């Protein structure tokens, strides 16, 4: 046990039994991509209705009721997974009351009984999503769906749960959403809300607007060919096809009248006229605007960078092509970034050789610290990944028009059939330079706690923004992670509707390599010490990142749910001191 006495929080360190369930599986099965193309001419789409939300008026034949335990079997603050015969539920007792919700996190199916219960909500042990135990509603991300909620009754000191078989089997619930009044009333070159970008931030913004009863027109536009998809999978599960990693099936967008314009690039925004100018000449007026364009990968600056078989992983097609070309071939990855390391791990079993080139002396040194970085590096080396550290690429050489060798500044020449570049990214905000929207010297859009820019009615979210982080005394930070993009989108939507909601979430991220995950919560930028418990060599550890006397972040491997526990402490506004974790 590890006691954080000063904040009256007990953090229990548990090494779980070997349970490598489907953590990196698709979030919700298969869906077919749908493309709305505009190409300069306004078109109208007659949208069919395909109900997605769970039906609240269940057929009695669909219902099941079961006695699951005695009232004294659970103490306050305890959770138990219970079997109702045709599926399981999570039974929770808090403040003397029983609640029953779905037992699996809708994001990747984590068992919530292994998560963290705190003040009316349960936090996922894998990726930090939070759910209200009374309603099942999702309150922090990642993921889009809420938990089904089941009826609990007490009779003769026994606890009964009544649930629909369908909800028990799906383990997810789409929150009720509004629909448009009638698209036929619209001028098709104008919209009430325009969302530029169709990643997590853009999609959550659109969904939140509908959940809050907004029934006017919403248009999302994206340079991508696909409907919104699970982008973190591009480097973790590289042979996934777009329909396998779609965040929502095409029917969802029809049902809730969220229009998606694919392969459409905004070239400029006129904030005075409230018009977005598209690259193909199409103009669209808006009332409210969300900019969620994300990042653009940095390219190499050396000779040969434009050669065939040199890739940035930006789309499912990029990832699929790299896997195909790399199988039984020589791969060189430039940059020990999250993307570079995940790609190296994925290809290690498939390629003939994997070499990784990095300017730093240890992977992840700035993010996880030197000791954790070295432990991760050792794991990669034991899986046949060769590192070339403290050097960079000076030239890419070809033979018969294809990549053949990567030449390093150290003089070393590496055989290469495929090169993947993961040397960082820059915000995709170049189109805003003359707009009057406040952008900092690095290209990030500056927003306040409500995700508002300096221009009324214009919001920004996701990887391209600098926002005030409550956790670090409202210091303006950039947190380019999946969970944070979800929350940005939600906060932006609430404030488009004048709710006055401020962002206060704790950053939470994860990386997956060789079947193992590192979880991370907090914001460790500028940490000055790392307190490590556990065994780095065994890859069972927890690392606390401190600045002065305060723990600002935590990372772990094989120590679930410690990161979710610390995230709950930080989310409650409590301070963990260095002496408490030493």
């Amino acid at each position: 046990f590890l006691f954080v006495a000063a904040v009256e929080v007990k953090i229990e360190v548990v090494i779980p039994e070997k349970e490598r369930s489907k953590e990196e599986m698709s979030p919700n099965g298969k869906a077919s991509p749908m493309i709305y193309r505009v190409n300069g001419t306004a078109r109208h789409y007659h949208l069919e209705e395909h109900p997605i939300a769970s039906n609240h008026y269940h057929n009695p034949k669909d219902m099941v009721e079961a006695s699951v335990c005695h009232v004294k079997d659970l103490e306050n603050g305890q959770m138990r997974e219970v079997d109702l015969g045709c599926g399981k539920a999570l039974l929770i007792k808090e403040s003397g009351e029983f609640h029953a919700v779905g037992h699996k996190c809708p994001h990747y199916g984590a068992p919530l009984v292994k998560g963290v219960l705190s003040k009316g909500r349960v936090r996922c042990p894998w990726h930090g999503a939070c759910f209200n135990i009374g309603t099942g509603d999702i309150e922090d991300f990642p993921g889009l769906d809420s938990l089904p909620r089941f009826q609990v009754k007490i009779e003769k000191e026994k606890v009964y749960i009544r649930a629909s078989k369908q909800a028990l089997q799906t383990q997810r619930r789409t929150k009720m959403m509004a629909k448009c009044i009638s698209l036929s009333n619209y001028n098709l070159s104008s919209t009430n809300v325009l969302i530029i970008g169709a990643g997590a931030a853009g999609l959550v913004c659109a969904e939140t607007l509908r959940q809050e009863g907004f029934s006017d027109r919403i248009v999302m536009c994206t340079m991508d060919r696909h409907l919104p998809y699970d982008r973190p999978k591009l480097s973790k599960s590289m042979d996934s096809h777009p329909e396998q990693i779609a965040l929502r099936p095409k029917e969802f967008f029809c049902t809730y009248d969220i229009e998606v314009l694919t392969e459409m690039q905004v070239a400029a925004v006129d904030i005075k006229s409230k018009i977005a100018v598209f690259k193909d000449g199409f103009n669209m007026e808006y009332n409210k605007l969300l900019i969620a364009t994300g990042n653009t990968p940095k390219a190499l600056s050396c000779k040969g960078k434009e050669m065939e078989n040199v890739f940035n992983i930006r789309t499912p097609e990029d990832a699929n092509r790299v896997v195909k070309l790399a199988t039984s071939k020589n791969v060189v990855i430039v940059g020990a970034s999250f993307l570079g390391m995940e790609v190296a791990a994925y290809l290690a079993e498939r390629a003939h050789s994997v070499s990784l080139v990095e300017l730093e002396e240890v992977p992840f040194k700035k993010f996880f610290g030197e000791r954790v970085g070295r432990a991760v590096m050792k794991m990669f080396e034991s899986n046949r990944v060769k590192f070339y550290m403290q050097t960079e690429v000076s030239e890419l050489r070809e033979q018969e028009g294809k990549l053949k060798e990567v030449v390093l500044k150290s003089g070393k020449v590496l055989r290469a059939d495929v090169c993947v570049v993961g040397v960082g990214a820059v915000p995709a905000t170049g189109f805003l330079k003359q707009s009057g929207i406040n952008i900092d010297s690095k290209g990030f859009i500056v927003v306040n706690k409500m995700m508002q820019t300096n221009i009324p009615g214009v919001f920004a979210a996701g990887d391209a923004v600098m926002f005030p982080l409550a956790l670090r005394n409202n210091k303006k930070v950039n947190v380019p992670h999946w969970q944070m993009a979800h929350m940005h989108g939600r906060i932006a939507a609430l404030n488009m509707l004048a709710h006055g909601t401020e962002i206060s979430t704790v950053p939470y991220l994860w990386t997956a390599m060789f079947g193992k995950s590192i979880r991370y919560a907090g914001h460790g930028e500028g940490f000055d010490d790392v307190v490590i418990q556990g065994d780095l060599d065994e890859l069972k550890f927890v690392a606390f990142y401190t600045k002065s006397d305060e723990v600002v972040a935590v990372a772990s491997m094989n120590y679930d749910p410690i990161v979710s526990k610390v995230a709950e402490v930080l989310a409650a506004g409590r301070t963990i001191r260095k002496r408490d974790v030493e």
Side-chain angles (χ1 to χ4, degrees):
F1 295 95
L2 168 72
F3 291 96
V4 184
V7 294
E8 298 181 4
V9 173
K10 184 176 75 172
I11 298 177
E12 185 180 346
V13 180
V14 180
I15 301 172
E17 65 273 19
K18 289 184 179 176
E19 180 193 9
R20 288 261 49 93
S21 35
K22 302 172 183 176
E23 179 172 351
E24 300 307 333
M25 289 288 285
S26 167
N28 55 341
K30 296 191 174 185
S32 304
M34 172 177 69
I35 297 176
Y36 291 131
R37 284 196 182 85
V38 176
N39 298 334
T41 54
R43 294 186 199 165
H44 178 53
Y45 302 95
H46 295 281
L47 301 178
E48 304 170 55
E49 290 203 359
H50 300 275
I52 303 285
S54 54
N55 181 6
H56 286 252
Y57 300 97
H58 299 290
N59 182 332
K61 290 180 183 177
D62 178 50
M63 302 302 288
V64 60
E65 185 175 297
S67 168
V68 292
C69 70
H70 192 277
V71 288
K72 291 181 180 175
D73 287 348
L74 256 69
E75 300 290 333
N76 277 323
Q78 275 194 317
M79 300 187 288
R80 178 183 290 186
E81 216 174 72
V82 293
D83 197 333
L84 277 71
C86 59
K88 294 181 179 178
L90 183 68
L91 181 65
I92 300 164
K93 187 176 183 182
E94 192 174 68
S95 302
E97 288 190 14
F98 286 91
H99 305 272
V101 293
H103 75 289
K104 284 185 179 179
C105 179
H107 178 228
Y108 283 176
L112 292 174
V113 72
K114 293 179 179 288
V116 179
L117 177 65
S118 175
K119 293 187 178 175
R121 69 181 193 175
V122 60
R123 186 184 281 268
C124 171
W126 287 357
H127 307 129
C130 296
F131 303 91
N132 185 298
I133 63 172
T135 64
D137 287 350
I138 188 166
E139 293 185 347
D140 204 342
F141 302 93
L144 298 167
D145 288 318
S146 296
L147 298 174
R149 179 174 66 92
F150 308 124
Q151 293 175 349
V152 179
K153 68 176 183 179
I154 312 294
E155 279 185 8
K156 297 178 181 176
E157 299 292 289
K158 284 188 175 180
V159 181
Y160 292 82
I161 295 177
R162 179 176 163 81
S164 95
K165 294 174 186 175
Q166 183 187 2
L168 284 169
Q169 284 153 12
T170 58
Q171 288 292 316
R172 62 178 73 239
R173 172 178 62 85
T174 303
K175 286 177 78 173
M176 296 297 288
M177 297 194 200
K179 305 206 180 149
C180 273
I181 298 157
S182 170
L183 281 181
S184 58
N185 296 334
Y186 295 131
N187 170 358
L188 289 160
S189 61
S190 70
T191 182
N192 198 285
V193 174
L194 175 62
I195 298 169
I196 308 176
L203 179 58
V204 171
C205 179
E207 289 201 19
T208 302
L209 288 169
R210 289 285 184 250
Q211 287 162 2
E212 295 295 317
F214 181 80
S215 59
D216 216 324
R217 191 178 184 208
I218 300 172
V219 175
M220 298 172 71
C221 64
T222 174
M223 290 165 61
D224 221 309
R225 291 170 54 187
H226 308 292
L227 291 171
Y229 56 86
D230 193 348
R231 190 173 290 277
K233 285 197 177 292
L234 295 188
S235 53
K236 295 179 177 76
S237 182
M238 296 178 69
D239 55 1
S240 298
H241 296 294
E243 60 272 16
Q244 291 174 312
I245 59 174
L247 292 172
R248 292 295 194 193
K250 66 177 182 179
E251 293 82 8
F252 180 93
F253 296 90
C254 293
T255 299
Y256 298 112
D257 302 328
I258 298 167
E259 294 169 72
V260 184
L261 311 182
T262 61
E263 298 182 279
M264 291 287 284
Q265 183 177 356
V266 175
V269 173
D270 182 338
I271 57 166
K272 289 181 181 171
S273 305
K274 292 193 171 184
I275 290 174
V277 181
F278 288 80
K279 198 173 182 180
D280 66 359
F282 179 70
N283 288 358
M284 182 170 275
E285 292 181 35
Y286 62 84
N287 182 22
K288 296 281 194 299
L289 176 67
L290 177 73
I291 303 161
T293 43
N295 284 334
T296 302
K298 287 180 184 174
L300 294 176
S301 55
C302 62
K303 182 182 174 186
K305 64 177 180 176
E306 304 295 338
M307 199 182 299
E308 200 178 326
N309 291 5
V310 179
F311 293 88
N312 289 115
I313 307 286
R314 189 67 193 150
T315 66
E317 289 78 10
D318 292 338
N320 295 172
R321 187 147 171 76
V322 166
V323 173
K324 190 175 178 182
L325 292 169
T327 302
S328 302
K329 300 289 187 183
N330 300 301
V331 181
V332 174
I333 296 163
V334 185
S337 57
F338 283 102
L339 180 139
M341 294 287 277
E342 288 172 0
V343 169
Y346 191 82
L347 296 179
E349 292 178 1
R350 295 163 176 81
H352 177 261
S353 72
V354 176
S355 303
L356 207 149
V357 180
E358 168 60 38
L359 206 49
E360 294 284 334
E361 59 181 316
V362 178
F364 299 136
K365 184 179 176 182
K366 287 181 182 171
F367 202 86
F368 290 136
E370 185 169 349
R371 290 173 64 195
V372 172
R374 284 202 187 280
V376 172
M377 187 173 175
K378 189 175 165 186
M379 176 177 74
F380 272 70
E381 287 171 334
S382 69
N383 283 278
R384 301 190 312 112
V385 177
K386 177 80 173 163
F387 287 90
Y388 296 88
M389 307 302 280
Q390 294 180 284
T391 186
E392 52 190 318
V393 176
S394 64
E395 185 186 351
L396 301 175
R397 287 182 185 159
E398 65 170 338
Q399 186 177 319
E400 297 175 1
K402 288 188 177 177
L403 176 68
K404 200 66 190 170
E405 294 174 332
V406 174
V407 183
L408 307 182
K409 287 194 175 170
S410 63
K412 182 76 177 173
V413 179
L414 307 176
R415 291 178 62 191
D417 302 294
V418 183
C419 179
V420 176
V421 181
V423 292
V426 293
T429 56
F431 70 103
L432 298 173
K433 279 181 181 170
Q434 308 302 319
S435 67
I437 294 166
N438 188 9
I439 292 173
D440 74 7
S441 58
K442 291 183 179 177
F444 293 108
I445 304 166
V446 181
V447 297
N448 65 13
K449 287 183 182 181
M450 294 185 281
M451 309 314 295
Q452 293 172 320
T453 67
N454 60 312
I455 306 300
V458 178
F459 298 78
D463 293 3
V465 309
M466 293 287 282
F467 71 101
L469 184 63
L471 189 68
R472 298 294 296 270
N473 296 318
N474 296 320
K475 177 185 175 186
K476 288 273 174 89
V477 299
N478 173 249
V479 181
H481 298 300
W482 194 237
Q483 168 256 355
M484 191 57 75
H486 285 68
M487 186 56 87
H488 283 181
R490 177 164 177 75
I491 297 296
L494 293 174
N495 291 308
M496 284 180 180
L497 302 174
H499 284 212
T501 308
E502 296 185 349
I503 190 163
S504 63
T505 187
V506 174
Y508 200 116
L509 67 111
W510 73 98
T511 183
M513 307 162 293
F514 301 112
K516 297 182 184 298
S517 283
I518 300 179
R519 328 263 187 225
Y520 180 98
H523 188 71
E525 188 178 60
F527 67 87
D528 52 34
D529 196 12
V530 188
V531 178
I532 293 174
Q533 298 196 354
D535 192 329
L536 285 171
D537 292 332
E538 291 291 317
L539 298 173
K540 291 180 178 177
F541 65 87
V542 55
F544 295 94
Y545 298 88
T546 62
K547 193 167 187 182
S548 301
D549 181 41
E550 188 178 335
V551 174
V552 291
V554 61
S556 83
M557 190 183 271
N558 286 321
Y559 258 108
D560 291 344
I562 186 83
V563 170
S564 287
K565 287 194 173 188
V566 172
E568 274 303 297
V569 175
L570 297 176
R574 299 171 181 161
T575 300
I576 303 173
R577 298 289 175 199
K578 186 176 180 179
R579 64 179 176 270
D580 301 324
V581 300
E582 279 178 330

